[in-house]
Amino acid sequence: MLFTQLFALGVALLAPAAAADDQTPYLTWMADTFIQDGVTPNYGYQVATLYLGFEKAYEISNDEKYLDWYKGQIDDHVVLENGTIKNWNYTRYVLDEYRIANNYLYLYDKTGLEKYKSAAKIVRNMINSTPRSPSGGFWHQIFFRNQMWLDGLFMAQPFYAKWTHRYDADNQTAWNDILLQYDLIETHARNKTSGLIPHGWADGQATWADPVTGVSPHVWVRALGWYFMSLVEVLQVFPTSHPGYEKLMSYFVSLAEALKKTRDVDSGTWWQVMEDPYPTYEENFIEASGSAMFTYGWFKGIALGYLPKEAYLETAKDAYTSIVKNFISEAEDNRLVLHGTVDECNLIGKVDLAYYFSRPIRDNHKNGVGPFMLASFEWETWAKDA
Ligand SMILES: *[C@@H]1O[C@H](CO)[C@@H](O)[C@H](O)[C@H]1NC(C)=O
Ligand SMILES: *[C@@H]1O[C@H](CO)[C@@H](O)[C@H](O)[C@H]1NC(C)=O
Ligand SMILES: *[C@@H]1O[C@H](CO)[C@@H](O)[C@H](O)[C@H]1NC(C)=O
Ligand SMILES: *[C@@H]1O[C@H](CO)[C@@H](O)[C@H](O)[C@H]1NC(C)=O
């Protein structure tokens, strides 16, 4: 427990200010902080995740500066005037680089400029030739043969589903394919007792995979967070008439329930390595990005009517205020800081507990900030008064 206490104490010493109240506009404050600090544009999923927050900052404030900044990140740096993607490699299949196509579609909707749709189409075409495991699961990257990482479901499926919904709605092959990705994870990797899903599943051999089940050894909070967010995004566009819709809904609802049981009572947030007995280990720590993703998923699930308000609202509100209490502080120059996001964790090599516990913890990491901004949008627009 010592490390956790020191960590909590460190945050407390640096950050005496924060407490979630009804007045503080964390969403736009965070966006302003990133504009002030500057962001290097690229087509990776980290910036793509941050930009989701900017979409919400724009929506809540109607202030054009957020949209202009966002466009300025993409224009010329990522999407070129002729509708291609700068430095794109058409045979480098990396699901992480598909995620930003959601942002291309968003900018297309806001501006009507064809170049954004054209860039999104390039990513859609990549999906058709992305390498697959024997059961049909997308490899997480061309470099990781037959491996499905939970992160990848967030990187590829919501865009695949949005594109299909908008431009190809009668394509049953596409809908079945999207469903298949979830079915594979749920069938092979979900622990039916705890309801939790470990970081990845190999449809074959991998250094980190259990030789019998193919499952990775630990439940990593952010991978599960990506997965939870991906379900809430896909459900919004997946055809309700498709027999798979109810399955996807049950995957979402049962995970929402499992998250309730694993939330840490003392901090009100979630542990980095989630499954028993590791929450009690002294090297484990509560983690900001996963906590924000779960909280956002709950809020959005309630707002969309997927989750019963009676069962989730108070808990979700408590989770949000707990994130603010544990991780948010104000720094010099009027900057807002989200502490406590663990750095990237990959499924490469052995991937044991020591690996997860030794990863660095970052301030204002985009993977934490984007989901915090999404959760803040829900909080500021309705949840705080609900
Ligand atoms: C699009 O523009 C870029 C940059 O000017 C150029 O390198 C590329 O060849 C162009 N692609 C097409 C298909 O015109
Ligand atoms: C494109 O990606 C493939 C797969 O990683 C790689 O083999 C190839 O060298 C890359 N091409 C360029 C021009 O970088
Ligand atoms: C329908 O979806 C499948 C699977 O993604 C794809 O291979 C096919 O090209 C799509 N059909 C059309 C007409 O886009
Ligand atoms: C599934 O979860 C239960 C309850 O936490 C645990 O006892 C069991 O070992 C887990 N099974 C696997 C295969 O990890």
Side-chain angles (χ1 to χ4, degrees), residues 96-247:
D96 293 336
E97 296 167 358
Y98 298 4
R99 174 66 213 184
I100 199 169
N102 293 276
N103 306 90
Y104 304 157
L105 287 180
Y106 176 85
L107 290 176
Y108 177 60
D109 287 344
K110 291 296 159 196
T111 64
L113 295 173
E114 285 297 324
K115 64 178 175 182
Y116 300 118
K117 184 177 173 191
S118 162
K121 184 73 170 47
I122 289 171
V123 177
R124 174 62 187 86
N125 289 343
M126 296 293 285
I127 291 176
N128 290 337
S129 38
T130 298
R132 291 165 181 269
S133 78
S135 319
F138 294 120
W139 296 8
H140 188 66
Q141 297 188 6
I142 193 167
F143 314 105
F144 304 125
R145 187 177 189 81
N146 293 335
Q147 298 183 18
M148 294 182 79
W149 301 9
L150 288 197
D151 324 46
L153 279 286
F154 176 79
M155 304 307 160
Q157 309 319 314
F159 167 67
Y160 192 1
K162 269 179 230 170
W163 181 278
T164 304
H165 172 73
R166 296 165 65 120
Y167 305 118
D168 202 13
D170 295 330
N171 190 337
Q172 293 308 318
T173 313
W175 292 123
N176 294 341
D177 193 21
I178 292 161
L179 175 66
L180 173 68
Q181 307 305 311
Y182 291 95
D183 282 345
L184 289 172
I185 293 293
E186 295 286 334
T187 308
H188 297 283
R190 169 95 72 142
N191 180 320
K192 305 290 185 295
T193 311
S194 67
L196 300 175
I197 313 173
H199 195 163
W201 172 64
D203 191 5
Q205 290 176 338
T207 48
W208 46 261
D210 180 284
V212 177
T213 63
V215 176
S216 76
H218 298 294
V219 179
W220 183 48
V221 70
R222 184 154 70 240
L224 197 58
W226 292 128
Y227 186 80
F228 193 50
M229 291 215 301
S230 87
L231 279 165
V232 87
E233 290 190 356
V234 166
L235 279 164
Q236 292 173 64
V237 291
F238 201 88
T240 52
S241 57
H242 190 292
Y245 181 84
E246 292 305 324
K247 280 167 97 182

Side-chain angles (χ1 to χ4, degrees), residues 89-93 142-143:
N89 178 334
Y90 290 79
T91 59
R92 184 184 138 93
Y93 301 98
I142 193 167
F143 314 105

Side-chain angles (χ1 to χ4, degrees), residues 260 307-314:
K260 231 179 175 182
L307 299 174
K309 205 172 163 176
E310 316 76 67
Y312 284 93
L313 183 60
E314 285 314 311

Side-chain angles (χ1 to χ4, degrees), residues 239-260:
T240 52
S241 57
H242 190 292
Y245 181 84
E246 292 305 324
K247 280 167 97 182
L248 289 171
M249 186 62 83
S250 73
Y251 300 157
F252 175 71
V253 172
S254 58
L255 186 51
E257 192 60 38
L259 295 175
K260 231 179 175 182

